[in-house]
Amino acid sequence: LDHSVYDKWYGMGGYLLTKDGKFSAVYQNRAENDGHIEIINLTDNSMRIIDRGSKARLAQDNRHLLCMIRPFYKETKEAKLKKLKGDKMPKDTLCIVNLYTGNIQKFPFGKKMEVAKEGGNFIVFESRIMNDSLKRDGVFVYDLTKEAVVDTLMNLEAYTFNKRGTELICLKKVVKEKG
């Protein structure tokens, strides 16, 4: 063995197990390559792979896996070589996987994600809204029971759930009007 084989080895970046023991998820990464998350149904040994998945966590309902899908390593490396900044850099995508149905929802330009520490059926995440050539960052409230975005909040500086996930606490940005 020599140093050339290191890029081919996978490193285990994390492991998750649902409370009922029916699903596990393993994050694997390579040195200069795109990693993935393996979601394993431990009752029938079936497996689903989320390519380029990272930062996996389980929602409090233990029915949903939340993760970020990174841009291709090659795209990110090229953008860095071109010295692109901010909005010009490739962005992550938020991925929400229903472990029991296999339903996957993806939200491009995903950023910060919040879940309650001890309960609740909601997650909140930042993303980008694009309509009619208007680009605005928004905070989306996602209901895990409905598997849908139920609200969009604009101009927030900070946000968090209370411990049980029954309330969302927000700090609104002061937006100065032009004129």
Side-chain angles (χ1 to χ4, degrees):
L1 294 176
D2 62 17
H3 295 289
S4 66
V5 298
Y6 292 146
D7 291 343
K8 297 175 185 168
W9 289 355
Y10 278 103
M12 189 166 129
Y15 180 84
L16 299 170
L17 180 67
T18 57
K19 289 178 186 174
D20 61 10
K22 292 183 180 178
F23 293 91
S24 70
V26 178
Y27 168 63
Q28 296 185 4
N29 198 14
R30 289 189 192 181
E32 288 194 20
N33 206 331
D34 300 313
H36 64 269
I37 295 173
E38 294 177 2
I39 301 171
I40 304 159
N41 182 329
L42 298 172
T43 57
D44 65 9
N45 289 328
S46 61
M47 182 173 25
R48 165 171 258 147
I49 293 177
I50 307 294
D51 289 324
R52 301 182 328 276
S54 68
K55 301 177 187 172
R57 61 197 294 186
L58 291 169
Q60 287 297 321
D61 67 358
N62 267 279
R63 297 182 58 82
H64 294 86
L65 178 117
L66 315 169
C67 67
M68 300 304 278
I69 297 175
R70 291 182 174 161
F72 286 102
Y73 176 81
K74 184 178 178 182
E75 288 177 8
T76 304
K77 187 174 181 177
E78 288 173 4
K80 286 179 181 179
L81 289 172
K82 292 179 183 176
K83 298 184 180 182
L84 299 178
K85 302 277 185 210
D87 284 348
K88 306 284 187 211
M89 288 292 291
K91 303 288 186 240
D92 289 350
T93 297
L94 172 67
C95 179
I96 302 171
V97 181
N98 184 318
L99 298 171
Y100 288 86
T101 66
N103 184 37
I104 294 178
Q105 291 192 350
K106 296 177 182 176
F107 299 92
F109 303 105
K111 294 181 186 175
K112 181 181 170 190
M113 171 181 36
E114 280 284 325
V115 295
K117 298 212 183 327
E118 292 184 2
N121 292 319
F122 297 94
I123 64 168
V124 177
F125 61 93
E126 291 180 38
S127 190
R128 169 142 304 150
I129 300 170
M130 293 182 155
N131 1 336
D132 302 330
S133 72
L134 176 68
K135 294 182 194 175
R136 294 188 347 184
D137 290 331
V139 176
F140 296 87
V141 180
Y142 184 91
D143 186 337
L144 293 168
T145 57
K146 294 179 182 177
E147 294 196 356
V149 172
V150 293
D151 204 354
T152 305
L153 308 169
M154 303 303 292
N155 302 318
L156 295 185
E157 193 165 317
Y159 53 89
T160 190
F161 282 106
N162 67 345
K163 193 173 183 179
R164 287 193 227 138
T166 56
E167 296 176 2
L168 178 65
I169 298 99
C170 302
L171 178 61
K172 196 154 175 90
K173 283 183 191 173
V174 177
V175 179
K176 296 179 183 177
E177 292 186 26
K178 296 177 183 176

